[in-house]
């Protein structure tokens, strides 16, 4: 049995916190896509930790964590993360496993990411510059190197040959930065990676499933950043949606049970690209301040806006969402009035569907207003004690989406979460 937790918006919905919260009900937590572009924040013993590639179940004793084949892995970032995690007394030899088919982010991939973004000027994607796009390009272009290749005696040569191809591209971009320091770091840290548990991910996970173990697949990014269904080309390079779980871990679709979709009570986006409900004035600034909306990976200010039910409805459809968790409800505590986008207007026509592209069509969001709850919800710990106005807001969302909000997160802390009963 496999359950999935994934983001329904443009990432940073609070997946890390929610995976950490649910992890105790599972035996294995597995990442199936993305790489160090992700930044999943959790609190361990009141200390803030941001995980990029290690699954968010890692702080629970007895839970196995798998980095699946669909992930792109940067050994340098991984080593830094491992050092942080082990400083909490976690024994990664016991609970972290890496699929040998996982593609490696090489120093030249990071250089290519940077060169490609620079060449785009104002059209840039706003990539995290972690090498994600070029690594997935080498995967689908059938050039990439994988974790299993590290065990090849000839790995240095494999790298050299691929670097020669990359160098031609870098020359085309007139990219002249010296990446020898990145290369040095890379070759030092792969020695560390080789000592970790490298496994055949697909047999590893399927044997666990056969033995009746419960698996939680942890998504990175969000549905609107999906390479197929997101706001292309302002997306990431992987399938962030439920479909990615099967190809990213090697499991069959009928094994998937619940798909738990995470949404903020409002909406954010970091990086470029369409964001119909974005608020550029004082209200957006207020959301950013109250929600502390700055990227966990890059520190960039996140763009903020109202919740977008057109996009959420689309995300529920694409992912087959069975349950919703709404995070950051507390951030709206002081707003007198809230807006919920229920339709887009495109060329004078109202629609509840996401268009093929939003760059040229520029949907105008149509809103329904709600009274704010104007009370400190972060101190509440039962559903019955939540303000009625918050319940009305959530009921409307439940009805619109036809999927229920099962949990409301009302603060960043591990215990700040309320079951809807
Ligand atoms: P992820 O990438 O989906 O894991 O999300 P991030 O960690 O990038 O961003 C979510 C941010 O919101 C983190 O700083 C969390 O600590 C914080 N957070 C999560 N849930 C809540 C919540 O319910 N209320 C508040 N105020 N903060 C939250
Ligand atoms: P988590 O898992 C928010 C965004 C980048 C950029 C676009 C492409 O923490 O929710 P990439 O580095 O993948 O080439 O960037 O995607 N992006 C994210 N935004 N949260 C993330 O991850 C993101 N990962 C990538 O800002 O717009
Ligand atoms: Mg994040």
């Amino acid at each position: 049995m496999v359950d999935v937790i994934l983001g329904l918006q443009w990432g940073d919905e609070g997946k890390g916190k929610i995976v950490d919260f649910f992890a105790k009900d599972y035996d294995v937590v597995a990442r199936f896509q993305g790489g160090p572009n992700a930044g999943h924040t959790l609190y361990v013993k009141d200390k803030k930790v941001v995980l990029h590639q290690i699954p968010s179940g890692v702080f629970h004793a007895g839970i196995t964590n798998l980095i699946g084949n669909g992930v792109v892995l940067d050994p340098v970032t991984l080593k830094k993360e491992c050092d942080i995690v082990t400083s909490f007394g976690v024994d990664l030899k016991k609970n972290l496993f890496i699929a040998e088919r996982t593609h490696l982010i090489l120093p030249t991939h990071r250089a290519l990411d940077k060169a490609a973004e620079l060449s785009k000027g104002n059209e840039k994607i706003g990539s995290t510059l972690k090498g994600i796009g070029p690594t997935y390009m080498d995967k689908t272009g059938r050039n990439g190197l994988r974790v299993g290749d590290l065990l090849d005696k000839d790995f240095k040569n494999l790298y050299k040959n691929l670097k020669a191809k990359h160098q031609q591209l870098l020359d085309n971009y007139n990219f002249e930065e010296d990446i020898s320091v990145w290369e040095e770091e890379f070759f030092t840290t792969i020695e560390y990676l080789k000592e970790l548990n490298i496994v055949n991910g697909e047999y590893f996970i399927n044997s666990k499933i056969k033995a009746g173990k419960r698996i939680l697949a942890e998504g990175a990014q969000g549905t609107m950043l999906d390479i197929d269904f997101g706001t292309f080309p302002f997306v990431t390079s992987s399938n962030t949606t439920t479909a990615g779980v099967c190809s990213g871990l090697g499991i069959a679709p009928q094994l998937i049970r619940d798909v738990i979709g995470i949404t903020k009570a409002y909406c954010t986006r970091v990086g470029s690209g369409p964001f119909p409900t974005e608020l550029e004035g004082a209200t957006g600034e207020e959301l950013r301040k109250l929600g502390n909306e700055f990227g966990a990976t890059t520190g960039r200010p996140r763009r903020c806006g109202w919740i977008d039910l057109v996009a959420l409805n689309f995300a529920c459809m694409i992912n087959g969402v069975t349950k919703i968790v709404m995070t950051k409800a507390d951030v709206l505590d002081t707003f007198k009035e809230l807006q919920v986008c229920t339709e887009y207007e495109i060329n004078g026509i109202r629609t509840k569907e996401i268009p093929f592209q939003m760059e040229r069509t520029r949907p105008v969001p149509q809103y329904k207003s709600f009274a704010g709850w104007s009370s400190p919800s972060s101190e509440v710990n039962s559903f019955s004690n939540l303000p009625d106005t918050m319940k009305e807001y959530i009921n409307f969302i439940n009805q619109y989406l036809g999927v229920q909000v099962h949990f409301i997160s009302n603060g960043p802390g591990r215990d700040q979460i309320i079951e809807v009963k």
Side-chain angles (χ1 to χ4, degrees):
M1 177 278 285
V2 181
D3 289 341
V4 184
I5 288 186
L6 44 70
L8 300 179
Q9 299 171 309
W10 279 278
D12 302 328
E13 297 88 350
K15 299 174 292 294
K17 170 186 161 158
I18 304 303
V19 169
D20 178 45
F21 173 75
F22 281 111
K24 58 186 181 309
D25 301 331
Y26 295 88
D27 303 296
V28 180
V29 179
R31 277 279 304 271
F32 58 93
Q33 49 68 236
N37 49 351
H40 295 180
T41 313
L42 23 118
Y43 283 83
V44 193
K45 296 177 185 151
D46 290 332
K47 277 202 189 135
K48 179 176 162 173
V49 179
V50 180
L51 294 173
H52 302 285
Q53 302 171 109
I54 297 178
S56 303
V58 74
F59 292 104
H60 294 262
I63 292 183
T64 298
N65 293 273
L66 174 69
I67 297 179
N69 60 278
V71 170
V72 287
L73 188 69
D74 181 345
V76 180
T77 317
L78 183 71
K79 165 79 167 63
K80 288 183 188 146
E81 273 184 87
C82 287
D83 288 347
I84 293 171
V85 170
T86 47
S87 75
F88 283 86
V90 175
D91 182 357
L92 291 175
K93 255 325 237 182
K94 280 204 184 122
N95 74 357
L96 180 66
F97 295 79
I98 303 169
E100 56 196 354
R101 292 182 192 273
T102 307
H103 276 252
L104 288 167
I105 301 180
L106 306 175
T108 42
H109 287 135
R110 284 164 62 195
L112 282 166
D113 208 0
K114 198 169 172 188
E117 279 286 77
L118 277 174
S119 77
K120 287 191 164 135
N122 284 341
E123 307 292 302
K124 71 171 194 229
I125 306 295
S127 157
T128 58
L129 302 181
K130 303 292 177 192
I132 306 296
T135 308
Y136 278 116
M137 279 164 73
D138 264 347
K139 176 178 178 173
T140 49
R142 299 169 292 188
N143 290 313
L145 297 178
R146 302 180 292 175
V147 167
D149 293 324
L150 290 175
L151 308 176
D152 192 317
K153 281 196 301 298
D154 216 22
F155 181 78
K156 271 216 158 123
N157 262 336
L158 296 175
Y159 175 76
K160 216 175 94 199
N161 293 342
L162 188 50
K163 184 184 171 180
K165 284 190 193 173
H166 290 166
Q167 194 57 55
Q168 288 179 358
L169 297 170
L170 289 169
D171 290 346
N172 270 345
Y173 283 121
N174 293 320
F175 185 85
E176 282 170 358
E177 273 180 48
D178 177 16
I179 60 162
S180 56
V181 176
W182 290 359
E183 286 180 314
E184 241 170 72
E185 265 185 327
F186 177 82
F187 280 100
T188 313
T189 51
I190 58 173
E191 295 308 317
Y192 174 82
L193 207 172
K194 277 154 72 175
E195 296 301 314
L196 297 174
N197 301 303
I198 298 175
V199 294
N200 178 310
E202 57 276 22
Y203 282 109
F204 182 84
I205 203 154
N206 279 291
S207 65
K208 299 260 180 219
I209 294 170
K210 255 201 173 136
K213 304 287 184 202
R214 297 153 302 172
I215 317 291
L216 180 61
E218 173 181 1
Q221 292 77 58
T223 302
M224 300 308 284
L225 288 170
D226 181 276
I227 183 71
D228 282 282
F229 299 106
T231 44
F232 190 88
F234 301 96
V235 292
T236 190
S237 299
S238 63
N239 283 117
T240 59
T241 43
T242 309
V245 176
C246 296
S247 59
L249 293 175
I251 57 151
Q254 65 270 32
L255 294 171
I256 295 175
R257 191 184 61 170
D258 270 323
V259 178
I260 302 159
I262 319 290
T263 174
K264 283 179 185 168
Y266 51 99
C267 193
T268 65
R269 170 164 206 171
V270 61
S272 335
F275 179 5
T277 62
E278 180 171 15
L279 295 163
E280 289 180 81
T283 315
E285 192 56 51
E286 190 72 357
L287 278 171
R288 187 173 310 115
K289 198 178 84 202
L290 294 169
N292 192 22
E293 294 296 355
F294 295 89
T297 297
T298 57
R300 292 178 292 177
R302 296 176 182 145
R303 300 154 64 193
C304 298
W306 298 121
I307 197 164
D308 180 344
L309 296 187
V310 179
L312 276 182
N313 199 38
F314 176 77
C316 287
M317 173 181 79
I318 298 291
N319 291 303
V321 173
T322 58
K323 292 178 179 167
I324 291 176
V325 176
M326 179 179 282
T327 57
K328 304 195 96 158
D330 54 300
V331 174
L332 300 182
D333 280 356
T334 51
F335 286 81
K336 294 226 156 22
E337 197 185 10
L338 308 172
Q339 309 285 349
V340 170
C341 169
T342 55
E343 285 184 315
Y344 291 166
E345 190 179 290
I346 300 174
N347 297 329
I349 297 167
R350 297 279 180 101
T351 178
K352 288 188 168 136
E353 293 189 1
I354 290 288
F356 161 67
Q357 59 82 40
M358 298 198 203
E359 273 297 275
R360 296 185 294 275
T361 52
R362 298 198 168 268
V364 181
Q366 306 299 307
Y367 291 110
K368 179 172 165 58
S369 321
F370 285 80
W373 36 93
S374 306
S375 67
S377 71
S378 58
E379 285 155 30
V380 177
N381 54 20
S382 77
F383 183 68
S384 55
N385 289 336
L386 284 174
D388 285 341
T389 34
M390 189 196 280
K391 289 180 186 161
E392 278 161 32
Y393 184 76
I394 288 167
N395 271 337
F396 180 79
I397 292 168
N398 286 344
Q399 271 166 22
Y400 187 104
L401 299 176
V403 187
Q404 304 288 308
V405 173
H406 279 245
F407 285 87
I408 299 162
S409 171
N410 59 339
R414 244 181 175 174
D415 303 323
Q416 288 177 296
I417 187 159
I418 297 169
E419 188 168 2
V420 177
K421 299 199 235 205

